[in-house]
Amino acid sequence: MKIKETEIIELMSSEKTREKGVRMMMDAYQSRLYWHIRRFIVDHDISQDVLQDTFIKAYQNFHQFKQESQLYTWLYRIATNESLQQLNKMKKMQKSDEDATNYLQNLVADNVQPDADEIQLLLQKAIHSLPDKQKLVFNMRYYEDLPYEDMSQILDMSVGTLKTNYHYAKQKVEEYIKQNFTE
C-alpha cells in the first residue's frame, strides 16, 4: 500500500493529475473508510453521503496534508470528523429510537431466545448508548482492530486516554447487554 500511497500523493499534488489521484485514492480507501463511517452512522445511505463528503473534503484540503502521517490516517481523521458532525446533526433532529427499544423490551418480556440478528441489534443499541468519544474508540478498536498508536494519530488523543476510553466503553457495553438480555 505504501507505493500506491506515494503514487496517490504525487498525483494529488499536481493540478494536471489531481483527478486521477482522487480516483486512485477512492479506489484504495473507499471500502475501509465506508465501514469505518458505517459503524458510527449505521444507515447505509447516510454513510455513503458522509463518505462522499470525506472525499470532497480531502480533495478540497489536500494542500493541508503535510505528509507527517500516512494518507489513510489523514483520511480516517477526516472521516471521523465528518461522522461526528453527522451524528451531532442526527441527534438534533432525531426522535428516540423507540421501535428498537420497544422490540427489545417486548423480546425480553416474552422471554424469547434472541437469534444472532437480535443479539447484533442489542450490541448496536449498547454501542449507541455510549458517549460519542467512547463510541468512536470502541468501534475503532473492536471492529477495526486499529492499534492504539494509529488511533492516537487519527483522534489526536494519547494512547493512555484511548485505553481508558476503550476500557470504560467495554464495561458499559457489557453492563447494557447484561441488563437488557435475559435467557
Side-chain angles (χ1 to χ4, degrees), residues 41 50 53 57 78-92 132:
I41 306 297
V50 172
D53 291 344
K57 278 245 169 90
I78 294 170
T80 299
N81 290 338
E82 290 296 308
S83 297
L84 291 174
Q85 285 177 1
Q86 181 63 39
L87 283 173
N88 286 334
K89 287 178 195 174
M90 290 166 61
K91 279 183 183 177
K92 289 176 185 172
D132 286 341

Side-chain angles (χ1 to χ4, degrees), residues 89-144:
K89 287 178 195 174
M90 290 166 61
K91 279 183 183 177
K92 289 176 185 172
M93 297 169 30
Q94 181 181 32
K95 295 180 182 176
S96 66
D97 194 1
E98 294 174 356
D99 293 340
T101 303
N102 289 338
Y103 179 72
L104 284 172
Q105 287 173 344
N106 291 338
L107 193 65
V108 171
D110 295 340
N111 279 334
V112 175
Q113 181 67 30
D115 63 21
D117 288 339
E118 293 161 339
I119 292 170
Q120 189 60 240
L121 178 62
L122 184 61
L123 176 61
Q124 289 304 313
K125 288 289 291 173
I127 293 169
H128 283 283
S129 73
L130 295 171
D132 286 341
K133 279 190 180 179
Q134 288 180 6
K135 184 187 314 178
L136 180 63
V137 171
F138 184 86
N139 281 326
M140 292 174 85
R141 185 75 180 152
Y142 181 80
Y143 286 111
E144 299 174 38

Side-chain angles (χ1 to χ4, degrees), residues 26-42:
M26 289 174 70
D27 289 343
Y29 299 109
Q30 186 168 0
S31 179
R32 288 171 65 191
L33 289 173
Y34 170 79
W35 286 108
H36 172 69
I37 293 165
R38 179 77 186 262
R39 288 187 183 94
F40 296 111
I41 306 297
V42 179

Side-chain angles (χ1 to χ4, degrees), residues 126-127 129-131 133-139 141 148 160-176:
I127 293 169
S129 73
L130 295 171
K133 279 190 180 179
Q134 288 180 6
K135 184 187 314 178
L136 180 63
V137 171
F138 184 86
N139 281 326
R141 185 75 180 152
Y148 285 112
T161 301
L162 291 168
K163 287 180 178 181
T164 301
N165 273 303
Y166 182 71
H167 174 75
Y168 284 125
K170 198 167 92 173
Q171 282 182 329
K172 288 177 184 178
V173 166
E174 288 171 1
E175 187 60 35
Y176 184 96

Side-chain angles (χ1 to χ4, degrees), residues 5-90:
E5 187 169 289
T6 307
E7 187 179 348
I8 291 169
I9 292 169
E10 195 174 299
L11 291 169
M12 291 286 294
S13 298
S14 169
E15 196 66 42
K16 292 179 182 177
T17 58
R18 184 163 292 150
E19 295 295 324
K20 184 178 180 183
V22 169
R23 283 193 298 278
M24 280 184 70
M25 181 174 62
M26 289 174 70
D27 289 343
Y29 299 109
Q30 186 168 0
S31 179
R32 288 171 65 191
L33 289 173
Y34 170 79
W35 286 108
H36 172 69
I37 293 165
R38 179 77 186 262
R39 288 187 183 94
F40 296 111
I41 306 297
V42 179
D43 181 88
H44 168 73
D45 293 330
I46 297 173
S47 296
Q48 288 282 23
D49 291 344
V50 172
L51 178 64
Q52 184 176 9
D53 291 344
T54 298
F55 283 122
I56 289 170
K57 278 245 169 90
Y59 176 79
Q60 291 173 339
N61 297 301
F62 191 77
H63 63 280
Q64 294 178 343
F65 176 58
K66 297 179 177 89
Q67 299 184 35
E68 294 170 355
S69 64
Q70 293 181 344
L71 181 60
Y72 90 86
T73 304
W74 184 69
L75 291 170
Y76 263 54
R77 186 174 195 133
I78 294 170
T80 299
N81 290 338
E82 290 296 308
S83 297
L84 291 174
Q85 285 177 1
Q86 181 63 39
L87 283 173
N88 286 334
K89 287 178 195 174
M90 290 166 61

